Amino acid sequence: ADGGAADDASVPVAEAVPSSGPFDPSRRWESRPDGRDHAVVRYDSFGPPTIMKHAGGLRVPRPASHEIVVRVEASSVSMEDCYKRRNIWPIWKDPVPVPNIPGGDCVGHVVSVGHAVRYFKPGDRVACLHPFLGGNARHVA
């Protein structure tokens, strides 16, 4: 049965990033000198939870001119994510791209901003929501 606790328990997930008090924007988030401190949970085809894979050692995304990059502290797995993973997302919605990083919402802190961004700055605490955000990652842009 899809979505059961036993099935989901075997799915590797990115490590949780607990909040450790006030955010210090001067703190370097990339713990590796090559900037490969990004990880995601993704799937390359549709199916049960066991198709999800952890991918680590990726480069932290760089923001486009109009984007912000957020260090994810918490994200969710919703029924919407389960429907997308199984490709039973309603046909009137946007098609589900593969490969896909699930997670339509997350919270965290802004770590970098594109040159055209005026409202946000590094250190701001934000909540993000988009059907194809990819919130089950360490960073989102």
Side-chain angles (χ1 to χ4, degrees), residues 1 9 12 15 18-19 24 34-35 40 42 49 54-55 67-69 74 83 88-90 104-105 115 121 135 139:
E15 69 182 36
S19 179
D24 178 3
D34 62 1
V40 301
R42 64 182 279 174
H54 177 267
E67 292 181 329
I68 64 174
V69 174
Y83 290 146
I88 56 174
W89 184 237
D105 55 13
H115 66 81
K121 63 186 180 314
H139 298 87

Side-chain angles (χ1 to χ4, degrees), residues 7 10-12 16 27 31 34 44 47 49 51 58-59 62 76 78 82 85 87 91 99 113 130-131 133 138 140-141:
D7 290 338
S10 64
V11 178
R27 179 178 164 198
S31 60
D34 62 1
D44 297 319
I51 64 164
L58 307 173
R59 289 199 181 277
R62 295 183 188 269
S76 70
S78 67
C82 296
R85 188 195 68 242
N87 199 25
I91 59 172
V113 300
H130 187 276
L133 175 67
R138 287 192 185 137
V140 295

Side-chain angles (χ1 to χ4, degrees), residues 37-127:
D37 189 37
H38 181 52
V40 301
V41 174
R42 64 182 279 174
Y43 54 91
D44 297 319
S45 61
F46 300 111
T50 55
I51 64 164
M52 297 176 66
K53 306 282 188 254
H54 177 267
L58 307 173
R59 289 199 181 277
V60 174
R62 295 183 188 269
S65 64
H66 62 283
E67 292 181 329
I68 64 174
V69 174
V70 174
R71 171 74 175 194
V72 175
E73 292 180 1
S75 66
S76 70
V77 176
S78 67
M79 284 305 297
E80 182 177 301
D81 293 318
C82 296
Y83 290 146
K84 289 177 187 175
R85 188 195 68 242
R86 293 174 55 209
N87 199 25
I88 56 174
W89 184 237
I91 59 172
W92 63 87
K93 301 278 189 175
D94 292 331
V96 178
V98 286
N100 194 348
I101 301 168
D105 55 13
C106 68
V107 295
H109 286 93
V110 175
V111 292
S112 60
V113 300
H115 66 81
V117 174
R118 301 286 180 251
Y119 186 77
F120 297 100
K121 63 186 180 314
D124 285 349
R125 185 156 171 80
V126 295

